[in-house]
Amino acid sequence: MNALLLAATKDVVAFHVNPVLFYALAAIAIAGATGVVISRNPVHSALFLVMTMIIIAVFFLTLSAPMVAIVQVIVYASAIVVLFLFVIMLLGIDRHEMLATDDRKYQRPAGAALGLLTLGGLIATVIGNWQLGPQTSSGRALSAIPTLDGVASTTAGETDQIRPLARTLFTQFAWQFQVTAVLLVIAVVGAVVLARRSTRPARTEVSA
Amino acid sequence: MNSISLLAVAPKHLFENGDLLVSSIVVIIKVVVAFALLLVGVMLYIWGMRKWIADMQNRVGPATAGPFGILQTLADGIKLFFKEQTIPSTAHRSVFRLAPYLSITPAFLMFCVVPIGGEVSILGRQTTLQVVDLPFGAMFVLACSGVGVYGVILAGWSSGSKYPLLGSVRASAQLLSYEAAFGLGLLGALIHTGTLSTSEIAKAQFWHGPASLFGNGGVAGQAGWNFFPAIGAFFIFIIAALAETNHPPFDLVEAEQELVGGFVTEYSGIRFAIFFLAEFMNVITMCAIATTLFLGGPSGPALWPSKVGAHGVINVWLMPIIWFAGKTIMLTYGTVWLRAATPRMRYDKLMAFCWKYLIEAAILWIMFEIALEIGRSQGWSTAGRFTLAGATAVGCGLLYGLLMLCVPKPGETVEEFR
C-alpha cells in the first residue's frame, strides 16, 4: 500500500491520471456545471452544483491530494450548498413568477459581460501555462501550490500529508489565514446587524 | 489496498504490482460483509429498541414473529417492500425518487472507515478489519454526515406539501448547526492521537492492562483509551451525533405532534423503509465511531496471551470483534434509554442549546485539552500542565462571560438593554 503511494508521489514523475478516468470525470463535471446554468429550478441547479463539487473532489483524489478533496466535500458540497438550499426553501424563490419579476434591466448584459471576462481569463491562463506531456512535480503549474511539494518529498507515509499542509497554513500563510477568518466574522456581524435593524421591540432570540 | 492509491497511479503500476486481483477480491469481500453486517445490525437494533422501550414502558413489545419477536423487523420490511408506492401530484418527481438514496448512501459510506476488528490476514494479505483505511478517516466521517443532510432536505422539499417542507427547513438549520459541535467533539479525540486515520486512532488506544482505561496516565509510550482524557469531548460528541442523526430528543425533523410525519409524510412503501434504514444505520454508525474514537475501538483484554495456534486465531480474529461489538451495543443501548425517557425539545431551545451552550462548552473543553497536550509535549509536570490548562479554561470562560454581557438577555428588548 505504502509502496504504491510512494510510487504515486515520489518517483514519479508525474501524476499519472488514468485518461479514461479523467475524461469520464471531466464529462460528468461539465455536464453538472452546464446543469447548474440551464436548470430552470434553483433547487435543481443546487443539486447539479453538488454533483460538480463532488467530481472536483474526485479530481483532487486523482492528483494525490486527499486532504483538499475531503475539505472540498465538507465545505462546498455539504455546508455551502446546504446553506443555499436552506435560503431557497426559506424564501420560496423556487417559483418562476418571482424569477420573472426580479429582472432588472442592466442585470443580464452585466452578467454576460462578466461571464465573458471570466471565460477570457480562464482561456488566457490555460494557454499561458499549457505544457504537453506529463508534468513533473517541479513543473510550473504544480509549483504554484506549495503543499504539493511538501507532500511529494515526504516519505513518512500517508498520514503525513496533513502535517505539511498545517505547517504551511499556520506559518507561511498565517496572515492570509487570519485575514480570511476576519472576513468571515465581518460577514456574520453584517448579517446580525441587518437582521436586527427593526426599531420595534425585537425578539432577542436569534435563531441561527 | 487503498482507494486513493488506486485512483492516483496509472493502471500500469497496479498490474506490475501483480496482486491486483487478490486485492480486489479482498475489497469486495469486505464491502459485502460490511453491508450485510449493517443491514442485520439495523434489523436487530430495531427489534432490540422496541423490546427495550417496551420493557421501560411495562409492555411486552414485538412477540409473535419468531422467537421473542426477533423477526418482526424482517416482517415489517417485507410488508413495506411489497406495498404500493405513492407520489403526490404536486411532488418534484425526480428529486422525490432520488432523496431516499441520497440518505442511505452516506449512511453506509460512513461505516466503511470504522475498524471493527484487529489486524488479520485474508488470502495472505495483512489487513485491518475495515472496508477502507483512509488516511483521513475522521474527516471522511464529517464529510459523510454533511452530505447525508441532503436526503432529508430534498425529501421534504420535493414532497410539494407544507409540513414536509417545514420539516426539511428545520432539518437543514439543525444539522448545519450541530455539525459544528460534532466536529469539535471529534477534535477532542484527535488531539490525543495526533492522526486523522481511524485505524491509527484505534491502534493508539491499545490494551495494556486496566490502566489503559484511564488514558496514558502520564506514562510515556503507554497510550490508552481516549475516554477519560477526552471525557468532555465524548459527551459533546454523543449529544451532537444524536442531533445529527435526528435521534430523540432531537427529532424535531419528524415531530409528529407538529408536522404530521415531517419529511417522510408523503413517502410510503420501500422509500419510507429506506429513510428509516438510513436513520437507524446512522445511529449504529455514530455509536461505532464513538467507540473507535473514545472507547478504544476493538481493544480489550485477550483471553490468552498467545498469538499463534487456535488460541491465537481467537485472540486475533474474535476477541477484538467481540470487544468492539460489545462497546457499540452498550452505546446503542444508551441511545434507546434516551429515546424512551426524554421528551422532545422545543425548536428554539434546540437551536439556542447548540449555539449558546454546546459549541461554547466544546471550545472551552478543546482549549483545556490543547493546553494539557502542549504541556506534555514540553515535558512539564502534571501539576504544571493542569495549572496551565485550568488557567486557559478560566480565561476562555471569562472571555465568554464578557461577550455575554455585550448582548441582551433572552426576553429583554434592545431598549431595556441600553
Side-chain angles (χ1 to χ4, degrees):
Chain A
M1 182 196 304
N2 257 352
L4 269 178
L5 190 94
L6 289 183
T9 54
K10 210 170 126 208
D11 53 315
V12 205
V13 201
F15 293 93
H16 271 302
V17 181
N18 186 340
V20 179
L21 188 70
F22 175 81
Y23 286 113
L25 287 175
I28 302 174
I30 289 173
T34 317
V36 176
V37 184
I38 64 172
S39 293
R40 299 205 70 87
N41 190 321
V43 173
H44 293 175
S45 291
L47 281 179
F48 279 120
L49 190 60
V50 177
M51 188 171 118
T52 316
M53 296 294 187
I54 288 179
I55 298 295
I56 291 174
V58 179
F59 273 126
F60 283 129
L61 283 185
T62 64
L63 293 170
S64 303
M67 189 68 192
V68 188
I70 209 81
V71 168
Q72 167 88 8
V73 173
I74 291 177
V75 175
Y76 289 99
S78 69
I80 288 189
V81 184
V82 168
L83 214 59
F84 284 178
L85 280 177
F86 179 64
V87 173
I88 290 171
M89 289 192 300
L90 202 65
L91 302 182
I93 53 173
D94 50 334
R95 294 184 199 103
H96 294 294
E97 65 266 32
M98 289 194 68
L99 286 177
T101 51
D102 195 39
D103 192 7
R104 296 192 177 86
K105 282 275 182 289
Y106 59 86
Q107 237 175 12
R108 288 180 182 218
L114 282 176
L116 283 177
L117 202 66
T118 314
L119 185 67
L122 279 176
I123 289 174
T125 314
V126 168
I127 289 176
N129 292 297
W130 193 262
Q131 287 177 335
L132 285 175
Q135 298 195 346
T136 61
S137 57
S138 59
R140 193 174 157 207
L142 293 178
S143 65
I145 308 162
T147 51
L148 275 177
D149 284 333
V151 173
S153 62
T154 183
T155 51
E158 299 168 27
T159 324
D160 264 2
Q161 298 196 326
I162 291 145
R163 284 172 213 282
L165 181 71
R167 206 158 280 140
T168 321
L169 193 62
F170 290 105
T171 54
Q172 195 181 345
F173 292 108
W175 169 246
Q176 287 87 336
F177 184 76
Q178 297 296 336
V179 169
T180 318
V182 172
L183 194 68
L184 290 177
V185 172
I186 291 171
V188 171
V189 170
V192 170
V193 168
L194 283 177
R196 285 173 156 255
R197 207 166 40 182
S198 63
T199 48
R200 66 191 159 77
R203 278 178 55 90
T204 44
E205 291 192 356
V206 184
S207 55
Chain B
M1 174 62 60
N2 176 315
S3 65
I4 302 304
S5 29
L6 255 178
L7 283 171
V9 288
K12 195 181 59 166
H13 279 102
L14 284 175
F15 289 115
E16 274 169 6
N17 211 13
D19 52 0
L20 177 68
L21 189 68
V22 181
S23 309
S24 311
I25 291 172
V26 170
V27 168
I28 290 168
I29 291 174
K30 280 176 171 181
V31 170
V32 171
V33 167
F35 192 64
L37 201 71
L38 213 49
L39 285 184
V40 173
V42 168
M43 205 186 97
L44 292 178
Y45 172 65
I46 295 175
W47 167 74
M49 179 187 77
R50 294 176 65 177
K51 276 303 220 191
W52 289 329
I53 290 182
D55 284 346
M56 288 179 82
Q57 295 170 345
N58 216 358
R59 297 183 284 119
V60 180
T64 47
F68 307 104
I70 200 167
L71 298 176
Q72 183 64 47
T73 321
L74 196 64
D76 286 344
I78 292 171
K79 180 204 132 190
L80 283 170
F81 191 79
F82 289 109
K83 211 177 150 186
E84 186 195 356
Q85 303 191 44
T86 54
I87 300 183
S89 57
T90 48
H92 290 74
R93 301 178 75 89
S94 53
V95 182
F96 190 84
R97 288 212 185 91
L98 182 68
Y101 303 103
L102 287 183
S103 204
I104 192 117
T105 313
F108 172 63
L109 283 182
M110 193 160 25
F111 190 75
C112 292
V113 295
V114 178
I116 61 169
E119 277 202 29
V120 297
S121 78
I122 307 173
L123 297 177
R125 288 185 62 89
Q126 204 64 22
T127 173
T128 320
L129 273 183
Q130 73 190 94
V131 177
V132 56
D133 182 10
L134 296 178
F136 44 83
M139 293 194 72
F140 186 76
V141 168
L142 269 181
C144 281
S145 78
V147 173
V149 182
Y150 282 112
V152 175
I153 295 181
L154 292 172
W157 174 79
S158 65
S159 293
S161 98
K162 287 257 164 18
Y163 288 119
L165 182 65
L166 283 174
S168 64
V169 171
R170 279 183 174 188
S172 47
Q174 173 187 336
L175 301 185
L176 268 183
S177 306
Y178 277 87
E179 186 108 339
F182 183 72
L184 286 170
L186 208 93
L187 193 58
L190 301 183
I191 288 172
H192 283 285
T193 39
T195 166
L196 288 174
S197 148
T198 40
S199 67
E200 296 283 321
I201 292 172
K203 253 180 246 160
Q205 307 175 62
F206 65 94
W207 183 261
H208 53 81
S212 52
L213 277 177
F214 301 97
N216 50 22
V219 184
Q222 284 208 329
W225 294 8
N226 285 334
F227 179 65
F228 276 108
I231 189 161
F234 174 75
F235 286 109
I236 288 159
F237 180 85
I238 290 286
I239 292 172
L242 289 179
E244 282 282 301
T245 51
N246 299 323
H247 191 281
F250 306 109
D251 57 340
L252 274 291
V253 176
E254 47 198 290
E256 61 271 5
Q257 293 93 336
E258 305 153 28
L259 298 179
V260 191
F263 69 102
V264 287
T265 307
E266 305 289 353
Y267 279 89
S268 61
I270 190 71
R271 293 193 188 116
F272 177 85
I274 288 176
F275 272 119
F276 275 87
L277 190 63
E279 188 171 321
F280 291 120
M281 249 187 204
N282 272 330
V283 174
I284 293 178
T285 309
M286 286 297 181
C287 292
I289 289 166
T291 303
T292 307
L293 291 179
F294 296 99
L295 301 181
S299 84
L303 278 185
W304 300 279
S306 156
K307 286 210 174 208
V308 288
H311 288 180
V313 169
I314 291 176
N315 273 345
V316 173
W317 268 92
L318 204 58
M319 284 316 287
I321 297 178
I322 289 175
W323 279 116
F324 178 82
K327 291 171 198 170
T328 310
I329 291 170
M330 199 191 70
L331 281 181
T332 48
Y333 191 34
T335 67
V336 175
W337 289 350
L338 283 175
R339 193 182 281 273
T342 52
R344 183 177 291 135
M345 286 178 92
R346 217 172 68 195
Y347 189 67
D348 58 332
K349 296 224 171 183
L350 175 89
M351 297 305 279
F353 176 66
C354 179
W355 286 106
K356 288 186 180 165
Y357 304 107
L358 196 62
I359 291 179
E360 276 79 358
I363 292 174
L364 208 66
W365 176 263
I366 295 296
M367 292 306 284
F368 180 76
E369 264 191 45
I370 289 177
L372 277 183
E373 240 358 77
I374 288 177
R376 197 174 63 175
S377 68
Q378 303 287 328
W380 293 3
S381 69
T382 313
R385 283 163 55 206
F386 274 94
T387 314
L388 172 72
T392 314
V394 169
C396 289
L398 283 178
L399 208 61
Y400 176 62
L402 273 178
L403 267 177
M404 289 316 282
L405 284 180
C406 302
V407 294
K409 289 184 191 65
E412 192 184 29
T413 62
V414 177
E415 281 71 32
E416 280 170 9
F417 175 67
R418 282 182 186 134

